Amino acid sequence: MTAPPPSTLPPSNVEYGGDEISALVLDPGYSTTRAGFAGEDVPKSVVSSYYGTIPSGNSSSTRKYLFGDNSIHTPLPSISIGNPMSKDGTVEDWDTATNLWEYAITSRLTSAKPGNPLTNGLNDVSNDLNVDMEGVEEQEKPLEENPLLMTETGWNSGKNREKGIEIAMENWGCPAYWVARSGVLAAFSAGKPTALVIDVGASNISVTPVHDGLMLKKGVARSPLAGNFISSQLRLLFSTTQPPINLTPHYLITSKTAVDAGSPSQATYRTFPPSTAPSQSFRYLQEERVLAEFKESVVQVWPGPGRLAGNTQQGGSNEDIAKAQPGRSFEMPDGWNQMFGVERYRAVEGVFDAKMALSDATNPPPSQSQTLPALIQSSLSQVDVDIRPHLLANVVVTGGSSLLLQFNERLNQELMALYPAPKVKVTAPGNTAERRFASWIGGSILASLGTFHQMWISKKEYEEHGAGIVEKRCK
């Protein structure tokens, strides 16, 4: 009897990362990149997906790359900010993405390679601020002992999937690799093999139908009306308010004096010499941090019934009811503060009702087909009629931007208005970490299952079949 070819042999624990060796789970996103060990509850490493560059040496053309919150939020001379991900949530700049992901893993998870004992421990020179990722290739490969499970969007291209396995095997030396769709993993984290996953991230809202643990690709729908869209709505809201609200980030404030609500701010501002001032991209990122704080503490979704622009059953307008609700106060970094009333609902209303979205020359109005209710309809219209009731009974909400106050109540109202007959059940974990990291948690559960060990693509199989094996194996 002839021996089976190597690719069909049952896996050995050591080669595939069984219980002896811990697998790593990497979940890259537009706003943050999450990494951690399989089997753990939350990712140990959550780093910003933005990176900084500063001039290196005397030449202005060579730039030094900086990763991690300590570096990218410090107003270093001539710092500029970039992001290796494109607006649709897929990788645009592979070289920088590789270095960023490697930083996310090696800075928090895998131990550094042994160095000179004289410079170990307390004698180490602290250099946390500027993380230099150059010269990494000369060292041993960073993940030679760790199988890697990576997440990807439901619309990731085959070319990108092949590039991912190439990086894991060639650059990092992983013994085994797997890539899984983030929507499927979010369903697993909620304990549901069949679900309609609504992921509200920073750059995209996506609706992914999952049936028996498999993504129904033709039913995947996405739109840019997510966290960054809400931030741009807030910028428009602030600029059109009378008087306009100034958005001044923390790094430009030296000191401030407390003022009454609505009064002009009294702050001392920091100035930088024009030749070494941080770039506009740095200021934009710092403004986004203020807007994130505003979204967390002030912004609210109109819970329904009906749209904010609609009327109540008694004939009154929903806007009047919203105006009667108690306001929420917010203080800007420069000390200016105000109570926000009905306008705190308007920033998000465009996600559900395109007619309510604010627009100007640089921010064109969204189309109704990009709104969340239209996305759900579009997604469900592409799947088999028989499984629609199962999907509606298992709606899973995930993503950091879904944590906006009363988002789930509004989503429930919209779904019941669209589909009055079938039972609609929305599952959204109350735990913030579970909502933000659902895809990562699903990956952590999957990679730690004993039955999953036979699924890994091993280094031998990669060498035998090339990068194309990822398309055949990871459906």
Side-chain angles (χ1 to χ4, degrees):
M1 186 179 153
T2 55
S7 60
T8 59
L9 286 172
S12 69
N13 272 358
V14 177
E15 181 187 333
Y16 278 81
D19 297 333
E20 294 86 350
I21 299 171
S22 217
L24 286 168
V25 180
L26 179 67
D27 179 22
Y30 187 85
S31 174
T32 58
T33 296
R34 289 75 60 176
F37 289 108
E40 296 193 343
D41 294 342
V42 288
K44 273 206 176 103
S45 174
V46 181
V47 300
S48 173
S49 293
Y50 291 91
Y51 65 91
T53 59
I54 53 171
S56 175
N58 300 326
S59 165
S60 60
S61 59
T62 56
R63 309 280 294 179
K64 182 176 181 179
Y65 284 76
L66 309 169
F67 303 103
D69 287 344
N70 288 353
S71 307
I72 63 168
H73 297 313
T74 307
L76 299 167
S78 305
I79 185 171
S80 60
I81 300 294
N83 192 318
M85 308 295 276
S86 67
K87 289 279 194 294
D88 67 358
T90 55
V91 180
E92 200 168 45
D93 175 356
W94 279 99
D95 292 341
T96 311
T98 306
N99 285 342
L100 173 70
W101 298 344
E102 193 170 315
Y103 168 76
I105 292 166
T106 55
S107 66
R108 310 275 205 292
L109 302 171
T110 55
S111 56
K113 300 297 174 212
N116 183 340
L118 294 174
T119 58
N120 278 352
L122 299 174
N123 300 321
D124 279 358
V125 180
S126 175
N127 190 20
D128 284 345
L129 188 65
N130 299 343
V131 180
D132 188 355
M133 293 299 291
E134 287 156 22
V136 162
E137 278 76 21
E138 287 78 50
Q139 302 170 3
E140 288 179 54
K141 291 185 175 174
L143 300 183
E144 286 179 337
E145 296 176 354
N146 303 91
L148 177 70
L149 184 145
M150 266 186 84
T151 72
E152 61 172 359
T153 61
W155 52 91
N156 201 21
S157 67
K159 190 177 162 196
N160 278 6
R161 303 181 93 198
E162 290 182 13
K163 185 71 180 167
I165 192 170
E166 274 173 31
I167 288 166
M169 296 293 185
E170 309 281 349
N171 297 33
W172 297 341
C174 291
Y177 177 83
W178 187 262
V179 62
R181 310 284 188 181
S182 53
V184 175
L185 295 179
F188 286 167
S189 76
K192 295 178 184 296
T194 296
L196 186 70
V197 179
I198 298 172
D199 186 349
V200 193
S203 62
N204 279 282
I205 283 187
S206 66
V207 179
T208 309
V210 178
H211 184 60
D212 283 342
L214 291 172
M215 179 186 83
L216 305 177
K217 192 159 189 179
K218 60 178 188 247
V220 176
R222 63 190 167 98
S223 137
L225 307 191
N228 294 348
F229 166 76
I230 298 167
S231 294
S232 67
Q233 291 285 291
L234 286 172
R235 287 174 187 271
L236 285 169
L237 191 69
F238 291 169
S239 62
T240 52
T241 305
Q242 288 304 325
I245 299 169
N246 289 326
L247 189 55
T248 310
H250 289 276
Y251 81 99
L252 288 174
I253 311 294
T254 309
S255 63
K256 63 181 178 183
T257 308
V259 294
D260 293 333
S263 303
S265 62
Q266 293 180 19
T268 313
Y269 297 97
R270 187 175 175 185
T271 54
F272 293 89
S275 58
T276 60
S279 72
Q280 196 56 38
S281 60
F282 178 80
R283 173 165 182 157
Y284 188 85
L285 180 65
Q286 299 312 310
E287 288 174 353
E288 285 294 314
R289 295 180 84 196
V290 177
L291 292 172
E293 213 175 301
F294 188 86
K295 286 190 280 190
E296 287 165 12
S297 51
V298 177
V299 172
Q300 194 170 341
V301 182
W302 171 249
R307 306 260 162 105
L308 183 62
N311 292 327
T312 63
Q313 290 174 337
Q314 289 74 33
S317 79
N318 284 334
E319 283 222 33
D320 290 341
I321 296 173
K323 282 174 186 166
Q325 302 293 324
R328 286 169 166 254
S329 62
F330 186 80
E331 184 179 311
M332 288 290 181
D334 59 3
W336 179 92
N337 64 92
Q338 185 178 298
M339 194 70 86
F340 289 88
V342 70
E343 56 271 20
R344 73 178 187 273
Y345 294 104
R346 288 197 182 120
V348 196
E349 193 61 19
V351 173
F352 296 93
D353 182 4
K355 294 193 289 291
M356 287 293 284
L358 303 168
S359 61
D360 64 4
T362 53
N363 295 282
S367 66
Q368 193 62 35
S369 64
Q370 291 178 313
T371 62
L372 184 51
L375 280 188
I376 294 167
Q377 274 186 301
S378 159
S379 173
L380 288 175
S381 69
Q382 294 296 319
V383 303
D384 198 327
V385 179
D386 296 341
I387 64 170
R388 285 178 203 170
H390 299 291
L391 295 173
L392 285 166
N394 295 282
V395 177
V396 173
V397 179
T398 174
S401 299
S402 72
L403 289 161
L404 288 166
L405 194 63
Q406 295 187 309
F407 180 88
N408 295 331
E409 287 86 336
R410 174 61 177 273
L411 177 62
N412 208 29
Q413 288 283 348
E414 294 282 349
L415 284 169
M416 285 162 73
L418 288 172
Y419 303 99
K423 176 191 167 200
V424 173
K425 185 162 189 274
V426 176
T427 304
N431 182 330
T432 319
E434 283 181 32
R435 191 92 66 86
R436 287 176 60 211
F437 308 138
S439 298
W440 186 92
I441 293 167
S444 172
I445 293 166
L446 187 64
S448 60
L449 292 175
T451 49
F452 181 71
H453 292 157
Q454 64 201 33
M455 305 287 285
W456 291 107
I457 298 169
S458 71
K459 184 106 180 174
K460 278 183 194 163
E461 288 172 289
Y462 171 74
E463 286 163 358
E464 195 178 320
H465 300 283
I469 191 170
V470 76
E471 276 291 276
K472 296 189 189 84
R473 291 276 299 276
C474 306
K475 297 294 183 197

